[in-house]
Amino acid sequence: MASPRIVSPAQALRLGASAWFVAATLGQWAFVVFIVLFFGGHVLGGDLAALNSKPHVTGYVRGDVFGNIQFIGHALMGGVVTFAGGWQLVPAVRRRWLHLHRWNGRLFLGIALVAALSGLYLTWIRGSQLGSGSNLSITLNGLLIVAFATLAWRSALRRDFARHRAHALRAFLLVNGVWFLRIGIMLAGLALAPLGIKIDYEGAVFVGVSFASWLLPLTVLELYLGAERSTRPLPKYAMALTLGLLSLVTLAGSAAAVAFMWMPVLVASK
């Protein structure tokens, strides 16, 4: 009788990372579909005022041409970088279509830089602010996107691919902070609603989720990179289990966002 095959620590870590990547990709593509249908649909239809059917801090403002361009452009760029970023993490793309990986990477990093700067403009110049805590979180997130996108680009030019990979992964997670925030709010709302706790923009829960939307993914990434470098099996198995659990949490948050945040807006805007 053959003995059961034991998954090696390295294989377990790759499986855990793959599980989370698949879960995240499903959630991110759902977010991209929403952006395309809602923002793209109204822009192509010429009905820009209908963009305000979805609550925004500062949405479409009649007469504010530059501000409206920044607002709409920021949203559409978010869809592009979310879609483009995921493909950069697919090993088969890097192995078989290196040219595509390079040009898609340039697209991702370039638009990430522009989107981060436009987000800072919308927050501090146009005045799209939710509160002091959220403003600080958005600002730090935007500045870190600029920093790590620049570092990823420079390390690629220097052909320092180990550092490039680490910086690019950090930039990818930071860029998706807006998506992490939405699934985080959904999970927090589902957990706290039975307790009668409401989430408001100035409250501790929203501010905490806002910071966690980029701090927590970065922390998990550093633990993952550390587990990769470790020569001991325990960190790899522990990280694999953690990523497996996080994949389930990610799926739950994404499903909640689709059901309670994005789908109702699409239905109401028809």
Side-chain angles (χ1 to χ4, degrees):
M1 181 177 179
S3 59
R5 183 171 179 268
I6 299 175
V7 177
S8 72
Q11 289 174 322
L13 187 59
R14 285 194 296 270
L15 287 172
S18 297
W20 182 84
F21 176 72
V22 170
T25 299
L26 291 174
Q28 288 167 5
W29 283 6
F31 188 37
V32 171
V33 168
F34 168 74
I35 291 172
V36 170
L37 293 179
F38 182 75
F39 288 94
H42 288 311
V43 169
L44 290 176
D47 188 9
L48 300 183
L51 292 172
N52 291 333
S53 62
K54 176 186 180 299
H56 304 288
V57 182
T58 306
Y60 172 76
V61 178
R62 185 178 180 86
D64 182 13
V65 176
F66 186 73
N68 291 332
I69 290 174
Q70 293 293 317
F71 162 64
I72 296 169
H74 182 77
L76 295 177
M77 284 189 292
V80 173
V81 293
T82 301
F83 184 76
W87 290 105
Q88 292 301 100
L89 306 186
V90 179
V93 173
R94 294 197 301 272
R95 287 195 304 266
R96 300 177 186 176
W97 301 290
L98 184 58
H99 194 65
L100 174 62
H101 175 77
R102 287 172 176 168
W103 278 104
N104 189 57
R106 293 182 182 117
L107 174 71
F108 169 76
L109 293 174
I111 295 182
L113 285 168
V114 176
L117 294 173
S118 71
L120 294 173
Y121 167 86
L122 291 171
T123 301
W124 294 108
I125 297 178
R126 201 182 196 214
S128 300
Q129 300 184 356
L130 296 173
S132 56
S134 177
N135 295 342
L136 178 59
S137 175
I138 290 171
T139 301
L140 291 174
N141 190 6
L143 293 175
L144 286 171
I145 289 172
V146 172
F148 284 117
T150 303
L151 288 170
W153 201 309
R154 289 180 61 187
S155 56
L157 292 176
R158 294 173 179 174
R159 305 187 69 81
D160 185 351
F161 296 122
R163 282 194 174 89
H164 168 72
R165 174 176 177 263
H167 292 322
L169 286 171
R170 294 174 184 121
F172 170 78
L173 293 176
L174 287 163
V175 164
N176 280 285
V178 65
W179 171 72
F180 282 118
L181 174 62
R182 280 152 178 76
I183 66 173
I185 289 297
M186 287 293 99
L187 291 171
L190 291 174
L192 297 176
L195 303 176
I197 300 175
K198 295 183 178 180
I199 300 176
D200 62 82
Y201 292 138
E202 292 282 2
V205 174
F206 182 85
V207 173
V209 173
S210 181
F211 276 94
S213 67
W214 52 272
L215 273 173
L216 183 58
L218 282 183
T219 301
V220 173
L221 173 61
E222 296 308 318
L223 292 173
Y224 170 77
L225 294 175
E228 268 191 333
R229 294 189 298 267
S230 177
T231 58
R232 296 181 295 128
L234 182 58
K236 296 183 189 296
Y237 283 125
M239 195 68 235
L241 177 59
T242 299
L243 289 170
L245 294 175
L246 287 175
S247 67
L248 298 177
V249 174
T250 300
L251 282 175
S254 298
V258 170
F260 303 116
M261 183 178 287
W262 301 325
M263 189 62 70
V265 172
L266 291 177
V267 172
S269 64
K270 286 184 178 180

